[in-house]
Amino acid sequence: MNQDEIIKQGTKVYSRPRLMDDRNMHYCPGCSHGVVHKLVSEVIEELGLEDKTIGIAPVGCAVFAYHYIDVDWVEAAHGRAPAVATAVKRLDPSRMVFTYQGDGDLAAIGTAETIHAANRGENIAMIFINNGIYGMTGGQMAPTTLEGMKTATTPYGRRVDLNGYPLNITPLLAQLPGTCYVTRQSVHTAASVRKCKAAIKKAFQAALDGRGTAVIEVVSTCNSGWKMSPAKANEWMEENMFKAYPLGDLKPLE
Amino acid sequence: MTQEIIIAGFGGQGVLSMGKILAYAALMDDKEVTWMPSYGPEQRGGTANVTVILSDTSISSPVLDTYDIAVILNQQSLDKFESHVKPGGLLIYDPSGIHHRPTRTDITVVEVDAMTATIEMGNPKGYNMILLGALLQLRGMVGIDAVLRGLKKALPERHHHLIPANEAALRRGMELVK
Amino acid sequence: MNEEVRLMKGNEAIAHAAIRYGVDGYFGYPITPQSEVLETLEAEMPWETTGMVVLQAESEVSSINMVYGGASTGAAVMTSSSSPGISLMQEGISYIAAAELPALIVNVMRGGPGLGTIHPSQSDYFQATKGGGHGDYHLIVLAPATVQEMADFVGLGFDLAFKYRTPAMILADGIVGQMMEKVVLPPARPRRTPEEVAKQCPWAVTGKKGRGHRNVATSLELDSAIMEKNNERFQRTYDEIKRNEVRYKTYYTDDCDYLIVAFGSVARICLKSIEEARKQGIKIGLVRPITLWPFPYDEIAEIASHVKGILVVELNAGQMIEDVRLAVSHSLPVHHFGRMGGIVPNPLEVLNAFKQKFGL
């Protein structure tokens, strides 16, 4: 039986979103990026924004996001996605503009751009994948790396006396009057995926409607960087990452 | 005909704006003009100077080594620029800030006590216009009418009510050197 | 009197010319001696008239990346800064060049290196003409000598940037930025409509509407074979620019025995030196390169073929002189006279230097 015949039998319950390209992703098995890409694709399709969406891709694991989601993209320099998004949105406010960044991009090299775009209340959505590590470059310390966490550049665990504290940037953004919606989600269970999708949808609609900056942090796993199986990484995230970065709305959309 | 002018003094004495008004007046008279300030922190109290060139033909260098006219408002500027006035040129200075007077004999030196005149007129902002009036009386490169039209152009609308006071200061300056 | 003749600073002329040209966006950060560009734009409020976006960014890094984002959408976008700020922008400029996007960058140079001085300089010649950022790329570099050229080169810069899909730079100095002189502003024209942008820039990232396929602005290509092809394409563009866009002006070169080569406002200082020299019977000509890249190598070589020597005058330690020497292949003496650190030589100083270098 081929695929079409299976579908004819009425057993198709799930399919790849139309806006996701039919190609192999470069993400590691178990990585959260693929799930979030899928949610972004579904939300754009469901909101009917395919023709007016512009994504701003980061430098980091998601650098090739533009290979997977079939909308227009700008590939930004490391950390500069919010600045790029600022201009793209301001030059035509009818666009839906979102950035997609990791923790190194958004909270280390691009902290200034992140905070100032949010503080200006740029009408954009920021998706922030926080997995506490630099995945692309091979597992080095990120600003969000937890205390004691071993990485390629903290081989004996992060020491706050040497490396400072894990940077909890999302609550900082929630304080800014320019943000309209700040939430922290995850995508490690079916329920959390559904909640995360609803959050992305809310954020994209808010950005489109010009309500200010909408921020969705997705606390994520990096099983390769963490050197764990995907299942173990999920467990470790629940036990450790969620303590430092508790899930929920930090600033609900009014 | 080209007139190469340096105006030099302390920041806050109206050096740059005097040059600017002269430049606008030249614009009104359809002359070519450049206005080149020494810019930066000087504008806030240090020494300031501006080179203004008026010409009937196109102007090459906005930066000069010698001048037809120097308007000097403090000792440092006199020390710096007296020797750069072309032979036969004109040096106007306000004696209130000067301890050692100009010594050149191959140029025309005119003392204009603009400070005293300013105090008498009770209009501290008219200081540079008194000097400009004196300059125009001595070298009629542009008419007072062009200066007044230039002022209108140089000043934002909300300051146009100050033009009569400026005109009075200009005329006072002209009287001083008649 | 013609109403359009105005008296203004070079920096102000850039701002007014940008609005009139129909520029879509300006993104910048204050720095002396060019802050009047942003100040004038904010005072003029073009968003109320033409719809032009004006934004004071949090840094030069952010400014140039806003320009990158804006340029990606096919918009005519620009920034301005001065030397230290332009250094901060180099990464972004490299990205813009590599993504083959049009943009205009204005550098009103001040003396460096480091924080240096706020006074005029031309010490960013190497940075502007030889790359600046990483990778094999070039900017089209225009060097204005008058306030009029400050205004005119905004339009010229954008026209060239869009024609070749490559960033252009106006490389000015503190003199021409801060001085006032007469300027006739270009006629005002409307900004392009979204339809016109889509037609002119089919590559623009504007949302897929009416297109079906996606556009991506990127400089990334991990397949080295493709990346080499990309580089070859960039180089073909640069070759075409070199063939078509060399601009320069000559003065008194018909009968000259010596030549001065200078750019920007320094060329005007030299012109006065030359006029004085001619009164003394010394026949000097002047070449003023207007495009510093592409550089007028052949044109200088041609003029140099009938002179005894060349003096290159710059506000730096000797940068453009390297290109002049390349042009004439060491076939005659090429000397340099430069002042640094924000010092501007006067015409007499230049003439004295000339006489001293050539033993006259």
Side-chain angles (χ1 to χ4, degrees), chain B residues 4 31 35 39 60 65, chain C residues 118 180 182 268 272 348:
Chain B
E4 299 175 330
K31 286 184 163 42
W35 174 93
Y39 61 82
S60 57
D65 46 84
Chain C
I118 57 171
M180 289 204 307
K182 277 159 71 167
R268 295 175 61 171
K272 195 164 175 80
L348 179 68

Side-chain angles (χ1 to χ4, degrees), chain C residues 42 68-69 100 110 115 136 202 212 255 282 328 343 358 360:
Chain C
E42 295 284 5
Y68 172 61
E100 298 172 281
R110 54 189 258 182
L115 202 45
D136 275 321
D255 65 343
I282 308 168
V328 301
I343 301 284
F358 289 105
L360 298 171

